[in-house]
Amino acid sequence: MTKIKVSDVATMLGVTDQAIRVGLQRGVYPFGIAFKSNERNKKYCYVIYPKKLKEYVGNSRYKEVLGDI
């Protein structure tokens, strides 16, 4: 499975990394999720689904930032 970085998604959308993180935590973006592996953890883990991201940003913008991964 291809890992997509939060910073790459931020570049695609023209926003900050933090905007992507908060959006995923709040369920604003349909292309990924944020979760804590343990309730006591302060940090979130982020999963970004390539197919859903490509649908959201468009194939050309996706390839412009990530190439053919």
Side-chain angles (χ1 to χ4, degrees):
M1 176 185 258
T2 303
K3 279 190 156 186
I4 299 176
K5 298 177 186 177
V6 168
S7 59
D8 291 333
V9 177
T11 299
M12 283 182 209
L13 297 178
V15 298
T16 64
D17 294 5
Q18 189 64 18
I20 299 299
R21 288 187 194 98
V22 171
L24 290 171
Q25 290 170 20
R26 295 183 180 176
V28 174
Y29 296 120
F31 51 75
I33 59 169
F35 65 93
K36 292 182 181 181
S37 59
N38 184 320
E39 282 296 317
R40 293 176 285 167
N41 289 352
K42 292 181 181 180
K43 293 185 178 183
Y44 282 85
C45 297
Y46 301 93
V47 177
I48 298 167
Y49 304 112
K51 184 177 177 183
K52 288 186 177 187
L53 177 61
K54 195 179 292 187
E55 291 171 1
Y56 189 81
V57 300
N59 195 44
S60 61
R61 182 66 176 150
Y62 182 90
K63 284 186 176 184
E64 184 181 314
V65 175
L66 294 177
D68 289 326
I69 62 165

